[in-house]
Amino acid sequence: MIFKAVRDGRPYPDHGLSARDWANVAPRTIRLDELTTTKRRLELDHLLDEDSTFYGDLFPHAVHWHGEIYLEDGLHRALRAALQGRTTLHVRILDLDAFRPIG
């Protein structure tokens, strides 16, 4: 199995981060099998496009919510890494659990 799970949609609240805000989240290495995807559909042309990150962030975006890590953006990059035999990926992870009130 490549990913921990596959979902259709985001179970966490909207975080409101812009592309500029994501750039302030430092990337870290994570195992692919710890990620739950938020997209069920794969676009083959995006998977095969070598310039898919030309105008975007080099690192996928994920959200840590209720103890799970959801891959919000970067499904094709993560799958390309798996097809290349890699088991880890550098990902920007926003920890929404850190902002959640206790109680």
Side-chain angles (χ1 to χ4, degrees):
M1 175 176 265
I2 297 172
F3 301 111
K4 181 175 183 177
V6 177
R7 291 185 51 98
D8 191 19
R10 304 172 185 170
Y12 49 88
D14 183 13
H15 48 69
L17 259 63
S18 68
R20 183 176 295 237
D21 296 331
W22 275 108
N24 293 320
V25 178
R28 63 181 183 147
T29 303
I30 188 165
R31 290 181 53 85
L32 292 173
D33 61 7
E34 294 180 65
L35 295 170
T36 297
T37 70
T38 59
K39 298 176 184 169
R40 298 182 78 91
R41 295 189 187 259
L42 182 69
E43 302 289 335
L44 188 56
D45 56 336
H46 290 229
L47 180 65
L48 300 174
D49 186 4
E50 293 180 13
D51 294 331
S52 63
T53 59
F54 185 74
Y55 293 107
D57 195 344
L58 292 177
F59 302 104
H61 300 164
V63 174
H64 187 259
W65 174 250
H66 289 186
E68 297 289 328
I69 302 175
Y70 297 96
L71 183 63
E72 179 176 287
D73 177 59
L75 174 61
H76 296 91
R77 283 170 276 178
L79 189 54
R80 274 196 302 271
L83 290 172
Q84 293 169 352
R86 299 187 342 230
T87 58
T88 61
L89 189 66
H90 285 85
V91 179
R92 297 184 191 277
I93 301 175
L94 174 66
D95 189 353
L96 285 183
D97 283 349
F99 302 110
R100 194 171 48 154
I102 299 173

